[in-house]
Amino acid sequence: MKKYRARRIQSCGMKTAILIGAFLIVASNLASEPQARWQEIDGTRIPIPPPEHPRLYLRAEHSSQLPQRLKESVLQPAVGRLQAQAEKSAQFKAEWDALQYLATRDAPLGRATIEAALPLLEKCELPDIQDACRVTGRMMVTGAIVYDWCYGLLTSAEKQAFIKELVRLAKTQECGYPPTRQGSVTGHSSEAMIMRDMLSAGIAIYDEFPEMYRLAAGRFFREHLPARNWFYDGHAYHQGDSYGPHRFSWDTYPLWILDRLGAGNVYNPAQRFVPYSWIYTTRPDGQRLRAGDTFAHSAPRGQPWSQYVGLLLTASYYGDGFLLDQFQRQGGSGGNETIFEVLWRDTALQPKSIRALPLSRYFGSPFGWMVARTGWENDAVLAEMKINEYNFVNHQHLDAGAFQIYYKGALAIDSGLYSGSSGAYGSPHCLNYYWRTIAHNSLLVFDPKEDFGRRGYGNDGGQRLPNGRSEPRNLALLQAPENRYRTGKVLAHGFGPDPQTPDFTLLQGDLTEAYSEKVRQVTRSFVFLSLRNPQVPAALVVFDRVASADPAFRKYWLLHTLEEPSIGSAPASSASASEHSPVSSSATIDVTQHGQSGRLTLDVLLPPPENAALDKVGGPGKEFWVFGQNYANDVEPRRLERGSMEPGAWRLELTPKSAASEDLFLNVLQVTDRQSPSRWPVRRLDAGDRVGCLIEGAGAAWMVLMRKDSRRSAEPVRFSVPGRLPARILVTDLRAGQWRARRDNSGETREVAAGEDSGAAWFEGSPGTWTLSP
C-alpha cells in the first residue's frame, strides 16, 4: 500500500490555500499510479478498466505488498475482525480466503474459494427486511472480489455463471438494472448500490461483460459526481447527523475504486473537508448535534457515535491526521466493511489532535452553516447556526434559520424523533412535526389558510415544501429555479478577531425563499460570543426581522427544550431609557437528566415589553403540538433510558401581541452551570437604524449592534456605550473596507476593518458616545 504524506500548507484557514493543499496531496499520491484510458460511452467519458487482474480495489503492486501489509501492527484489530467474521459467515470467509489467495497465490485455496462463492451468489435472495437490497448488493461485492482476485483460476463456464448471478442480483436493487430509477443526489440510489456494488461487479467482469460497468460508471459520472463536486465546496453534507456520514461514506468508494483503476481523484478535492462538519458538531459526550433524521441515537448512551469507515478512507486518501484523530475518538468502525480498512488504510498516517483546530468553522454554499465552540474539552459550549441556502429534502428537515446550543447537556434542541410508535419515514409524526419548521428553533408565520400542497402535510406555520419534498434526480433539477430547492442566502459570515480562538462568530442570512408567499421578507442574524468566563462561558444573540404579507398572520419565535422551561420577568436596568430598554421577559432552561448540569437563560429584548407574549407549550399530551393537534410518538421508557434519544417535550413560543406587517425579534441566550449559576445583566441598545444589546460581564461589557434591515451601509454609525465598563464591540452590516471609531470629547480612536465576507468591525472601547465612520 502506498504511503500518503501531506505537504505542509500554511493556510491560516483560508479556503483557497486549503484546496491547493488537498490538490497537492492528491497529485503526489497519483505520481506513480498507472494512468487509465478514458472513453466516451453514450455521451459520458468514463475511465476504462485496464486489461489485467487484480484491478478491483487494488492492483498487482498492491497485492505483492499484502503479505507484509497483513502483519502491520496498526491493521491487526481490523485483520482480527476479518478473521472473526470469516469464522461466522461463509460470505466473509470467501472474501478472507480470496485475500489470502492474493497474498499467497495458493492455487488450491483459490479454487476452493471460487467453488464456495458461486453457490452463495446463486442462493442469495432478497430477505424479508427493510432495505433488503443492501443484502443482495453486498453479495455482489463478494462475487466481484472472488471473480477479480481469483480471475486466473476461473473456467469459462464459471465466468458466465458469476456474470449471470451478478446481473440477477443487480436487478434486485432499488435503482433497477439498468440502473435508471431514483435520484443521484439523495435517496438509496445515492448509496452503495451504484457507487460501490454495481461499480465493483462491473469492473470485475468488464472483459467478458462490459455492460454493467458502462451503465454504473456512466450514471455515476453523469449524475452522482457533478452533484457532489458542486456541494463539496460547502465542506458539509445535507443529510443530517446520521444519514450524512452514512451516505458520505458511500461517496468514498468511487474515490478509491477509480483511483486504483488509474483514473486519479475524480472528485473535487474539497471532499476532504466534508467530515469536518461532524468533527465540529460532535458533543463532549461523543454524540452529535441533531440534524435531519437521526438514527444514530439507537447507540447506547455513553457510546460515541460512529462516522463509519468513510472517515478513515478520507483521512487515508488525503493524508489528513485530524480526520484520523476523529475516527479514533469515535471508536473506529466495524461491520461489513472492515475489508476496506485493511485494503486502503494509510498505515503511516499519524493522528493530529482536533484540539489544534480553530474553534469556529463556516460551511459555505450551498449550506450556509456555522459552528462555534469554546473548546474541545468536556465543558465546551457548542452552538450551531443555519441559513440553508438549499434544501435537498429526503432526510434534511425544513429548518432554515435554526440553531442549537449544547453546554453540559442539550439546551436548545431539534425536537421530535425518527423512531417510536410514529417515527418511521413518512409517518404522521414526521410529516407534520419532526420534518417541519415547528420542531426546530426557527420562525413561524401562521397563515390559517395555507395549503402545503401535498397530502398528509398539515399547516405548521413553517417553511414551504421544496418541490413538494420530491427528491431531485440530478444537479440540474436541484438548481432549476422553478423547482425551488433554493431556500436562503447568506448575507454575512465571519469570526475573529483571532481566527483560532475567536471572541465573536457571525452568521447572517435572508430566509425569505424558505417560506411561501405569506412572507415579504425574513432575515436572521446570529452572533455567538465566547465570553471567556467560567461562570458564563458564552452567549448567543439572535436578531430577526419578519415581514408578513398580511398583518394578521401571527409570527412565532421558537426555542425547543428537553425539560420544562421556567418563565419569569427579568429586572429592568437602571440606565436611562434613551440608552436602552429594559428586558421584557425571560426564561430559564435546565437539563438535569443523566447527571447533566447545563442551564440556558433567555432574555427577550424585542418585541418590546408591552408587545411581547412568551409562553411555554409541551408536557404530557402536548409534546409535539401543532396548532391544536399532538402528533404523538411514543417510545418505550427503557429505550429512552438506555439509548441516546432526545425527543424533547417542551418549547417556548415568543409572539407579538399586536398584529403588524413587520416585527423584530431580539433575544440573548446565555449558558451557565445550574449548580453554580450566574447570569449577566442584558440591555437593549437603540441607535437610529440599528439595534443591539449590551451584556454587562465581569470586568468588561460585550456589545453587538446590527442594522434593522440587515443591509450593508457606508453611513457613519453613532452609538453610546453605557455604564462604566469598557466594552468589546461588534458592529455589523458595514460596507467592506477600513473604518475609524472615535469617542466624543476624547482623543480615543480605533482603526478597524470590515471584511468582505463579514461586513463587521470589532474593537474595544471605553464608555461614552462613539462614531464609526468609513
Side-chain angles (χ1 to χ4, degrees):
M1 173 71 71
K2 184 199 313 290
K3 305 298 188 287
Y4 298 100
R5 294 181 174 85
R7 289 189 196 179
R8 185 174 179 81
I9 303 293
Q10 298 295 335
S11 67
C12 300
M14 296 183 66
K15 181 176 178 181
T16 301
I18 287 172
L19 292 178
I20 291 172
F23 175 78
L24 291 173
I25 292 166
V26 175
S28 65
N29 292 346
L30 296 176
S32 62
E33 291 285 0
Q35 299 301 300
R37 180 174 63 89
W38 291 71
Q39 184 176 345
E40 185 171 309
I41 305 291
D42 296 329
T44 302
R45 289 186 74 248
I46 61 174
I48 302 303
E52 61 185 67
H53 296 272
R55 62 191 178 205
L56 178 64
Y57 309 146
L58 74 176
R59 302 287 283 276
E61 63 269 30
H62 307 116
S63 62
S64 67
Q65 298 168 12
L66 276 176
Q68 183 59 37
R69 181 173 177 80
L70 292 173
K71 297 176 183 177
E72 294 205 44
S73 58
V74 72
L75 289 179
Q76 292 316 295
V79 170
R81 292 197 304 273
L82 270 185
Q83 291 175 313
Q85 289 173 344
E87 291 173 359
K88 297 177 181 179
S89 164
Q91 178 180 1
F92 296 120
K93 184 178 187 303
E95 294 181 6
W96 172 254
D97 287 346
L99 185 66
Q100 291 300 306
Y101 168 71
L102 273 188
T104 64
R105 295 298 173 175
D106 181 340
L109 175 61
R111 281 299 312 161
T113 303
I114 292 169
E115 292 168 4
L118 185 54
L120 292 176
L121 270 67
E122 292 171 337
K123 295 176 183 178
C124 184
E125 300 288 348
L126 285 170
D128 186 18
I129 60 172
Q130 185 176 352
D131 302 328
C133 69
R134 291 175 180 170
V135 174
T136 52
R138 187 59 181 82
M139 185 61 76
M140 291 179 70
V141 171
T142 301
I145 284 173
V146 174
Y147 191 100
D148 182 66
W149 294 358
C150 301
Y151 183 83
L153 303 177
L154 287 166
T155 67
S156 296
E158 287 169 335
K159 291 177 184 177
Q160 293 306 310
F162 267 90
I163 292 168
K164 176 184 175 183
E165 294 307 318
L166 290 171
V167 171
R168 180 182 67 83
L169 293 173
K171 291 179 179 180
T172 68
Q173 301 302 293
E174 290 179 25
C175 61
Y177 186 83
T180 58
R181 297 188 210 136
Q182 298 186 339
S184 301
V185 181
T186 64
H188 290 174
S189 289
S190 66
E191 296 182 350
M193 59 184 71
I194 294 172
M195 292 199 290
R196 186 194 62 183
D197 303 346
M198 282 191 202
L199 196 62
S200 297
I203 289 170
I205 64 178
Y206 182 81
D207 298 338
E208 293 75 29
F209 190 81
E211 177 188 273
M212 185 177 293
Y213 174 74
R214 289 174 176 173
L215 291 171
R219 180 164 174 187
F220 170 77
F221 278 95
R222 188 169 54 253
E223 296 186 7
H224 293 76
L225 186 64
R228 284 150 183 78
N229 283 348
W230 175 68
F231 68 69
Y232 281 167
D233 276 336
H235 294 186
Y237 216 89
H238 41 78
Q239 293 295 283
D241 62 59
S242 301
Y243 284 96
H246 174 70
R247 287 189 171 159
F248 175 75
S249 195
W250 300 123
D251 291 3
T252 63
Y253 284 91
L255 174 71
W256 281 92
I257 291 170
L258 296 170
D259 185 87
R260 285 296 170 85
L261 280 187
N265 184 5
V266 299
Y267 283 112
N268 178 345
Q271 181 190 46
R272 168 186 176 181
F273 303 104
V274 171
Y276 279 74
S277 62
W278 302 305
I279 292 179
Y280 275 82
T281 55
T282 296
R283 309 181 333 189
D285 62 0
Q287 300 179 35
R288 289 184 284 278
L289 295 177
R290 304 305 193 255
D293 293 343
T294 298
F295 63 74
H297 55 44
S298 59
R301 184 171 298 279
Q303 177 179 310
W305 289 5
S306 171
Q307 283 185 221
Y308 307 97
V309 73
L311 179 61
L312 177 63
L313 301 186
T314 308
S316 293
Y317 190 89
Y318 292 103
D320 194 315
F322 291 124
L323 299 184
L324 179 60
D325 184 46
Q326 178 72 357
F327 177 78
Q328 294 175 342
R329 285 172 179 266
Q330 297 303 109
S333 66
N336 299 339
E337 318 311 333
T338 301
I339 193 169
F340 298 102
E341 178 178 350
V342 172
L343 292 174
W344 293 335
R345 179 169 183 164
D346 179 357
T347 58
L349 181 64
Q350 296 298 310
K352 293 177 66 176
S353 175
I354 60 172
R355 296 189 179 195
L357 290 170
L359 294 180
S360 292
R361 194 173 185 101
Y362 175 62
F363 302 93
S365 186
F367 305 106
W369 303 339
M370 184 75 81
V371 180
R373 308 177 64 108
T374 60
W376 300 97
E377 298 74 23
N378 287 336
D379 61 352
V381 182
L382 280 73
E384 179 188 49
M385 301 153 268
K386 289 183 173 181
I387 298 302
N388 287 3
E389 291 201 329
Y390 278 78
N391 190 295
F392 292 73
V393 303
N394 193 205
H395 295 294
Q396 185 177 6
H397 292 179
L398 301 171
D399 61 353
F403 64 90
Q404 292 184 71
I405 301 173
Y406 181 95
Y407 175 64
K408 298 183 178 181
L411 295 170
I413 69 166
D414 273 6
S415 65
L417 200 61
Y418 193 57
S419 185
S421 62
S422 182
Y425 192 91
S427 67
H429 177 76
C430 285
L431 295 180
N432 293 284
Y433 186 81
Y434 184 53
W435 291 350
R436 308 295 292 279
T437 313
I438 199 169
H440 303 83
N441 301 318
S442 299
L443 295 161
L444 305 181
V445 179
F446 187 72
D447 170 4
K449 296 181 179 179
E450 184 171 14
D451 182 353
F452 281 80
R454 189 167 176 182
R455 184 177 180 182
Y457 288 85
N459 184 0
D460 75 320
Q463 294 159 16
R464 60 181 177 80
L465 310 181
N467 200 25
R469 286 202 90 245
S470 297
E471 298 170 22
R473 165 71 186 228
N474 53 41
L475 179 60
L477 292 175
L478 175 66
Q479 294 178 321
E482 63 270 19
N483 291 330
R484 301 188 69 192
Y485 289 107
R486 177 136 199 166
T487 54
K489 180 181 180 181
V490 170
L491 301 176
H493 64 90
F495 46 85
D498 183 343
Q500 191 72 18
T501 57
D503 289 327
F504 76 89
T505 302
L506 167 71
L507 181 65
Q508 297 176 286
D510 189 322
L511 311 177
T512 308
E513 288 184 277
Y515 295 85
S516 68
E517 288 70 19
K518 67 185 176 184
V519 307
R520 290 189 292 110
Q521 189 171 36
V522 180
T523 59
R524 170 160 274 192
S525 298
F526 300 103
V527 176
F528 177 85
L529 298 172
S530 181
L531 302 176
R532 307 188 186 281
N533 181 280
Q535 279 72 48
V536 185
L540 180 67
V541 180
V542 185
F543 173 62
D544 305 294
R545 175 177 175 265
V546 185
S548 58
D550 186 329
F553 295 165
R554 198 167 186 185
K555 308 171 186 74
Y556 295 83
W557 188 97
L558 304 180
L559 176 61
H560 288 268
T561 66
L562 287 175
E563 302 180 33
E564 183 177 2
S566 173
I567 295 177
S569 295
S573 170
S574 60
S576 67
S578 62
E579 292 178 337
H580 76 95
S581 295
V583 171
S584 61
S585 9
S586 66
T588 301
I589 298 100
D590 286 341
V591 58
T592 63
Q593 58 187 336
H594 309 295
Q596 296 169 326
S597 62
R599 170 172 289 180
L600 181 69
T601 61
L602 167 68
D603 288 314
V604 177
L605 303 182
L606 285 173
E610 66 278 6
N611 192 37
L614 181 64
D615 300 299
K616 58 184 176 183
V617 176
K622 285 192 172 183
E623 300 93 336
F624 312 117
W625 190 254
V626 182
F627 294 104
Q629 182 171 348
N630 190 47
Y631 289 93
N633 186 12
D634 300 322
V635 180
E636 295 178 11
R638 183 175 59 179
R639 291 186 65 199
L640 279 175
E641 180 63 29
R642 294 182 179 179
S644 51
M645 299 179 184
E646 295 175 345
W650 293 89
R651 71 175 180 262
L652 290 167
E653 292 184 347
L654 173 64
T655 187
K657 294 178 181 178
S658 302
S661 295
E662 180 175 314
D663 287 283
L664 303 180
F665 296 87
L666 178 59
N667 294 281
V668 178
L669 303 110
Q670 302 176 54
V671 297
T672 189
D673 190 312
R674 63 180 175 81
Q675 296 175 339
S676 54
S678 184
R679 181 175 187 167
W680 288 354
V682 176
R683 65 176 78 182
R684 191 181 96 216
L685 301 176
D686 293 288
D689 57 6
R690 293 177 182 266
V691 68
C693 65
L694 185 80
I695 305 173
E696 298 174 278
W702 300 71
M703 180 175 173
V704 176
L705 202 60
M706 297 173 277
R707 276 182 64 95
K708 295 175 184 177
D709 61 7
S710 298
R711 295 179 181 176
R712 295 197 186 186
S713 172
E715 295 297 316
V717 183
R718 188 168 174 81
F719 59 92
S720 294
V721 178
R724 299 180 179 180
L725 296 175
R728 294 161 181 167
I729 303 164
L730 179 70
V731 181
T732 71
D733 308 300
L734 301 173
R735 186 187 67 183
Q738 293 299 123
W739 291 69
R740 171 175 288 185
R742 181 185 297 274
R743 187 164 68 95
D744 286 4
N745 304 316
S746 78
E748 190 174 356
T749 62
R750 302 284 188 273
E751 300 295 331
V752 296
E756 187 67 40
D757 290 332
S758 68
W762 171 269
F763 63 98
E764 297 186 14
S766 305
T769 300
W770 289 79
T771 301
L772 184 63
S773 303

